[in-house]
Amino acid sequence: MAAAMHPWLVEFIQRIDDHRLPTAHAAGGVLSDADLFDLFESQLDSRLLDLQSRLMQAAGQSFYTIGSAGHEGNAAVAKALRVTDPAFLHYRSGAFFIQRAKQAPGSTPLYDMMLSFAASADEPIAGGRHKVLGSLHLNVPPQTSTIASHVPKAMGTAFAIGLSKRLNHKGTWPHDAIAMCSFGDASANHSTALGAINSASWAAYQQIPMPLLLVCEDNGLGISTHTPKGWIQQQLSQRPSLKYFFADGSNLAETYLVAREAADYVRQKRKPAVLHLRTVRLFGHAGADAEVAYRSKQEIALDSERDPLLHSCAALISRGLLDHQQLIAYVHQQQQRIARIAKQASQQPKLETAEQVMASIVPPKRKSNLPAPVSGEQRTNLFKWDKHNAGKPQHLAKLINLALHDLMAQHQNIVMCGEDIAKKGGVYHVTQHLMEAFGPNRVLNTVLDEQSILGLAIGMAQQGFIAMPEIQFLAYVHNAEDQIRGEAATLSFFSNGQYTNPMVIRIAGLAYQRGFGGHFHNDNSFAVFRDIPGVILLCPSNGRDGALLMRQAVDLAAREQRVVIMLEPIALYMTRDLHQEGDGGWLHEYPSPQEPTPVLGEPAIHGDGNDLAIISYGNGYYLSRQAEAKLAEQGHKVRVIDIRCLVPLHVDKIIDALGGCKKVLIVDECRRRGSLSEELFTALHETNPGMFTVSRLNAEDSFIPLGKAAYSVLPSTEQIIAQAQQLLEAN
C-alpha cells in the first residue's frame, strides 16, 4: 500500500509531469553529472523529510516542524567543505547535514533525523531531548539556537583551531580545518551575531588566524518581519577583514562554485569570510505558521517559483540525466523510502522518566591521567618574580594568582581570556605576571564584549583546551548569560554527553567595595546561575579557599568536563584584617599544590559551638566571623559555616556541618527575594521538618547605590549580632 503524500508533493510531481519547470541555470561545467545528481538527492531527501514530519505531526508522531524547505542549496556548501571542518548549523540545514553524511560511509542521516523528529530515545546525538542537527563523527556539534547564539562559539572554535597550531596542541579538529557557521538573515541583526562577527573581524584585522566561514542564508523573512532589500549585503560586505561572497541558493552549480571559493579562501588565508546565500522560505516559518496572515498570495506564489528543487529538477532534465517520467519515478521511490523510515522511527522508544531525561546534564567522566603539579627548579623559576613574599601570609587576590601560576604550569592546555587580563593583570591584578610566564597565546586580551568572551571560551573548550574566561564584573555577565545558560551548559545535555566544553569562568563580583561602587561594580545577585542545570558555582571567602577552590574548579573541568563558575568577592580580594586594623586576620599561607582539595559541596567550619550556627558565604562569612567573636565575648558558643559551593547546594553536607545546632541564622549578602537563602531555608525545613529554628538576614531588595549609602541596603556585623541574639534568646 502506497504511503500518503503531502499535498505539496502531489503538486510538485504534477509540475514535473506537465513540464512546468523553470529554465535551467547554466552549469558552466562546475558540477559533473554525478555531482549534480548527488546534490539533488540530498536536496530532495531533505524536502521529503520535512513533508513527512508534517504528516507525522498530524498523527501525533512528530514534534518539530521548522524545516529546511527552500534552503536546500546549502547541500552544495557541505560538498565544498571537509568532514573534518566543524559545522555549527542552524535549523534549516537538513540538506547540508545529509550531504555531509555522505562523506562518512556508514552514516544513516535519514533515519537519524527522523528519530529526532519523533523525539526517540534512540536518536544518536540528543537521545530524543530535542530536534537537533548534530553528530560526533560528522563534526557537527548540536545546536538548538534560533537567534544566532551559536555564532560566538563558532568564532571561538575558529580562533582555537589557529591557537592549537601555535601551541602545538592536538585538538578535536585538525590544524588545517575551518569552522563553518550558518544562520538566517533575521539572526544577522541579533547582538550575539553582530558581536561574534565583529570579534572575528577584530582578530583578523590584527593578522590573528581566524578560519571562519559564516553562511548567512537569506530568505528575506524573520518569521513575519521582512528583511529590507539589500540590507544583508550592505551589512556584511563592508566589514574590515571579512571577505564577502554571494551566491544564489537556487543554483546548485553557482552555490557550489562560490562556496568552494569561499572555503578555499578561509582555509588558505586563515581569515574569515561570509557567504551570503540567497534562499527562499517555503511553507512558512513552522507548521503552525499561516503565512497568509502577513504575506500576499502573490508574494507567496513568486517565492514558490524560486524553489531550489524546481531548479535542480530543471538542471537534471536539461543535461539528459533523467527524463520527466524517470524523475517522477525517482521522487516516488524516495518518498516511499522515507515513509518506511518514518514508520520505523516513530515506533522507537521515547524518554519516559526524569532520570532518563537528566542523564546527560552532567557529562560522563573521562578516563584521564592529569599531569602532576610542577616542582623543583621549574617551580622555583615560576615564582622567582615573587620570592620576597615566599612563605608570607597573603590576601585572596594574591593566593588566587599563585594558584593560577601553578595550575597553568601543570595544565599546558589552560588558556585564559578576558578584558585587560594580560599585561595589566586585570582590574584587581589577579592575573598579573601570568602573560610574562606563559605568553600571549595563553593569556589573551579580548574585545569588550562578554558574549564574545564566553563564546571564545566555549570554542576553545570544544577544541580540547581548558578555557578560563574572566568576566570583569558580575553585572557584566547579564548581557551574555545565554552563552552559559543556552550554550555552554546545554551542550552535554543535547549531545548525550558526546560533546563537552570544560571551562572555569572567573567572575569578580558581589558587593561591599569601599571607595568604588554603584550597581555595575557592586552586583549582589547571582540568581541567573542558580537555575542552570549542570553548572557548578564556587565562591571563596578567603585566600586559602581561593587557591583550593581554584584547583578544584580546574580538576572538575579536566576530569569531569564540567562548566564551573568561580565567583570571587571583590571586596575581599585585598582584605588583610578581620577584627581590627593590623591584625592580619584575613591573610593566609598558600596551600601546597599537593594538599587535597575539599570534597565538592563540603563547607568550611569555624568553631564548634552548639548554641547557634551561622551559615553564610563570601562577604557574609567574613562579617559573620566578626559577629562570632563579639558573641563569644557575651558567652555564646557559635559556629560559623562557609558554604563555598553555592550551586548545586549540598544540603546534606551543610546539615552535617551543623552538628548539634538547632538554631540557625542564614546570612546572605544577596537580596531577600531570589537569593540562595530561600533555597537553604526551604531545604532545612523540608529535610528535617521541625528540627531547626531558622532565621535569615539578607540585603534589601535594592540595587546598590554609590558611596556609604551602599551599606544601608547590605547586611552588617551589627545586624548579624542583633539577629543572632534574638535567636539565642528565643525559646
Side-chain angles (χ1 to χ4, degrees), residues 474-515:
L474 176 59
Y476 296 178
V477 81
H478 299 305
N479 63 44
E481 60 195 40
D482 190 54
Q483 287 300 301
I484 302 174
R485 182 199 65 83
E487 296 297 335
T490 61
L491 186 59
S492 175
F493 181 71
F494 287 125
S495 69
N496 238 342
Q498 297 171 76
Y499 281 99
T500 59
N501 34 218
M503 63 179 66
V504 178
I505 305 170
R506 293 184 48 250
I507 304 176
L510 300 177
Y512 292 97
Q513 287 198 73
R514 296 184 182 277

Side-chain angles (χ1 to χ4, degrees), residues 611-632:
D611 294 347
L612 172 71
I614 302 176
I615 305 176
S616 193
Y617 60 91
N619 295 285
Y621 176 72
Y622 174 77
L623 298 175
S624 296
R625 286 285 301 275
Q626 292 178 335
E628 180 271 336
K630 297 292 186 182
L631 291 167

Side-chain angles (χ1 to χ4, degrees), residues 421-564:
I421 69 166
K423 190 172 183 179
K424 177 178 172 61
V427 173
Y428 299 98
H429 308 296
V430 179
T431 59
Q432 64 181 338
H433 301 293
L434 289 169
M435 190 190 76
E436 289 83 353
F438 301 104
N441 285 317
R442 293 187 62 197
V443 185
L444 314 168
N445 278 338
T446 66
V447 292
L448 200 158
D449 176 21
E450 285 73 25
Q451 292 183 113
S452 291
I453 292 170
L454 293 172
L456 173 62
I458 297 170
M460 290 195 298
Q462 289 194 54
Q463 179 63 355
F465 293 103
I466 298 175
M468 192 176 286
E470 176 184 289
I471 303 299
Q472 207 166 74
F473 292 98
L474 176 59
Y476 296 178
V477 81
H478 299 305
N479 63 44
E481 60 195 40
D482 190 54
Q483 287 300 301
I484 302 174
R485 182 199 65 83
E487 296 297 335
T490 61
L491 186 59
S492 175
F493 181 71
F494 287 125
S495 69
N496 238 342
Q498 297 171 76
Y499 281 99
T500 59
N501 34 218
M503 63 179 66
V504 178
I505 305 170
R506 293 184 48 250
I507 304 176
L510 300 177
Y512 292 97
Q513 287 198 73
R514 296 184 182 277
F516 184 67
H519 164 61
F520 275 95
H521 304 100
N522 267 311
D523 186 356
N524 65 334
S525 174
F526 57 87
V528 62
F529 305 129
R530 292 182 50 236
D531 67 347
I532 303 177
V535 164
I536 295 171
L537 175 63
L538 305 177
C539 180
S541 64
N542 59 82
R544 175 177 170 77
D545 277 351
L548 292 174
L549 294 182
M550 186 63 73
R551 293 171 189 165
Q552 183 176 53
V554 170
D555 194 69
L556 287 164
R559 293 184 191 275
E560 301 185 19
Q561 305 292 292
R562 302 297 294 271
V563 176
V564 186

